[in-house]
Amino acid sequence: MRIRILRNPACLGALAALSLSPLTTGLASAATMAAEPAPACLVLNQSWRYAQAGNGCGVATAVKIVYQDGAEGACIVVRPDETPTIGEGYLGHHGRALYLALCQ
């Protein structure tokens, strides 16, 4: 029975399309979640418990954290020379923070 299914070109094409659909869906969703990285004067610090953003830019800037699982934190305005807590640490639900992103 198994050999007959694989010999039929229509069944083989359908099987290939079904097996590849999760891959293409994952790539499309990851591409839409990308956010513009913040400038280098904004520094991300993450410990096991908290994530903080240091602002050395000289102007208030709205940022959010982008985590390794694609999740994004809340948009928070960080004033110059401040380092507020803006998210969870790497033991939180989303794991490690990848970078700070600009937001509005």
Side-chain angles (χ1 to χ4, degrees), residues 46 67-73 88-97:
Q46 188 180 32
Y67 291 96
Q68 68 183 13
D69 66 353
E72 297 178 354
E88 61 188 26
Y90 53 80
L91 291 183
H93 298 318
H94 303 295
R96 296 213 178 262

Side-chain angles (χ1 to χ4, degrees), residues 14-77:
L15 180 64
L18 286 174
S19 64
L20 292 176
S21 63
L23 295 176
T24 57
T25 304
L27 292 175
S29 63
T32 58
M33 294 181 68
E36 180 184 357
C41 56
L42 289 156
V43 180
L44 172 65
N45 298 309
Q46 188 180 32
S47 69
W48 67 275
R49 192 170 184 185
Y50 301 113
Q52 298 176 316
N55 185 351
C57 295
V59 295
T61 309
V63 295
K64 62 183 172 184
I65 297 176
V66 178
Y67 291 96
Q68 68 183 13
D69 66 353
E72 297 178 354
C75 188
I76 302 201
V77 175

